[in-house]
Amino acid sequence: MMESAQQTVARVSQELKCSPTSRRVAEHLDKQDELRHLRQEFLIPKISELSTSDLSLVDGAEDCVYLAGNSLGLQPKNTKKYIDEELEKWAKMGVHGHLKGSRPWVWAEENLEEQMAKIVGAKPEEVALMNGLTVNLHLLMLSFYKPTPKRYKILLEEKAFPSDHYAIESQIRLRELDVADSMLIIKPRQGEDTIRTEDIVSLIEREGDAIALVMLSGVQYYTGQLFDMEAITKAGHAKGCLVGFDCAHAVGNAELRFHDWNVDFACWCSYKYVNSGAGGLAGAYIHEKHAHSIKPALTGWWGHNLKTRFLMNNEMDLQPGVNGFRLSNQPILLVCPLQASLEIFNQTSMKDLRKKSLLLTGYLEYLIRHYYTKDPSDPDKPSVRIITPSDPEQRGCQLSLCFSCPIRAVFEELEKRGVACDMREPDVLRVAPVPLYNSFADVHRFIAALGSALSASGAKQ
């Protein structure tokens, strides 16, 4: 059995004969990190570039502590090179770029789908790169949400990402159904922050005959909870429900096995943990069992078989499965950064990334609990409560931190100290040490910056 992060920190500190909170522990863990070379594949913002605030607190030429990969991943170094290549090809070849060069525009994204399939645990023919996340969610629900008078509800979690919530609402209205009656929203138990798997399964077992579609997040964006997609899918299928997931915060973050778990469909963006840039090309998955039984409600010419697509005879030769859901050619300038990122993923595996992630996030958790656990003897001292599950198997790399004091001032002070993370009202900071490019030293620097930020914000220490 692999030792826990806490056990690793204790062992290393004993070997080094230093405190478990010493920076020497972080430095040692970085030296032992077999994936540390991947950090060199990314451009890391400098503190001077991160904020226009008073930067006299730190050296502006130093790398910032970038812990916001759950919102926007860092830029791979090859991104600009690949985009420049396509701009140059366009300038020199014009229309002939559709069929020539290393990325013929007609099928450029298809060259990347095998690698993306590895990341999500699917067969290449089950994955398509296209559109944006919410567009793909709508396209998939148009075909997978088939309400009947008895089976018409959609199960989603409370505080689903707003775009998902809106999409589900609009899909229900499109069928002229009552939104309040058709949305089945599951909440955490009273006094808890996350939803127990047993409660999701129990609700499906109890209400499943009326549920047409289970539509949950893979990783819940606010709490950072990693849902047990295998168990949820199994429970949904046992009651005759179709099961889909929005995996925006799961892809590139957790080990996924869409095909083996028998997930019906999934969609995701690629600009968070897959580092394709803001608004990057999104992905969609449909299990091969639906390849010929579930067809797109909306079609476009890119869903037509490539071999006969350019005959232009207006007789649809629909590709089976998810490929038939394509509507139009993909923007080559969005294919380029995705290629740059997937090439980095190809240097490792999700198994190895996950192994590092468990230790990296566990180290962050250890330091937060050491310094900022609520002290009953000093109720005015600022404290931090981690609302993300403590079980590493129920989370990705993100920890959502709930503060006992107002956090906006703390957040602003962190920015002054070169820390990039993510604030969510009313009192949560989302902090995500990403195993592709974050280091244990980053985590240690964050903890030090947090202490001084709390002092500077006026919170009592």
Side-chain angles (χ1 to χ4, degrees), residues 178-190:
D178 180 71
V179 170
D181 183 45
S182 300
M183 292 180 75
L184 181 60
I185 299 176
I186 185 166
K187 304 177 182 181
R189 295 185 185 185
Q190 185 70 30

Side-chain angles (χ1 to χ4, degrees), residues 250-356:
V251 173
N253 180 21
E255 283 190 272
L256 303 173
R257 294 183 175 85
F258 288 161
H259 178 85
D260 292 345
W261 294 342
N262 211 18
V263 172
D264 293 300
F265 71 91
C267 51
W268 59 92
C269 61
S270 63
Y271 52 81
K272 301 180 188 297
Y273 297 105
V274 189
N275 318 299
S276 70
L281 196 60
Y285 154 89
I286 295 176
H287 196 283
E288 66 176 0
K289 67 184 179 181
H290 298 303
H292 298 285
S293 59
I294 301 236
K295 299 185 184 301
L298 301 175
T299 56
W301 79 315
W302 233 246
H304 189 111
N305 189 329
L306 178 59
K307 294 179 180 179
T308 57
R309 183 181 298 163
F310 290 92
L311 293 180
M312 315 296 280
N313 59 12
N314 288 346
E315 294 179 8
M316 172 60 82
D317 181 10
L318 188 69
Q319 297 182 80
V322 71
N323 287 316
F325 282 69
R326 301 174 190 271
L327 296 178
S328 56
N329 53 322
Q330 313 311 332
I332 187 61
L333 299 185
L334 295 185
V335 171
C336 292
L338 183 54
Q339 177 186 343
S341 179
L342 292 179
E343 286 176 350
I344 302 172
F345 275 95
N346 206 33
Q347 296 181 40
T348 181
S349 66
M350 285 308 304
K351 180 179 180 180
D352 287 342
L353 285 170
R354 179 64 170 158
K355 179 181 177 182
K356 175 182 175 180

Side-chain angles (χ1 to χ4, degrees), residues 153-201:
K153 294 187 179 184
I154 300 179
L155 173 62
L156 68 157
E157 80 267 23
E158 184 186 42
K159 291 187 177 179
F161 193 80
S163 191
D164 288 6
H165 192 104
Y166 303 151
I168 290 171
E169 279 189 342
S170 62
Q171 289 287 331
I172 291 170
R173 289 196 180 100
L174 188 64
R175 275 71 167 191
E176 299 183 344
L177 297 173
D178 180 71
V179 170
D181 183 45
S182 300
M183 292 180 75
L184 181 60
I185 299 176
I186 185 166
K187 304 177 182 181
R189 295 185 185 185
Q190 185 70 30
E192 298 183 359
D193 298 299
T194 55
I195 305 169
R196 299 188 188 189
T197 301
E198 64 201 75
D199 290 347
I200 298 174
V201 170

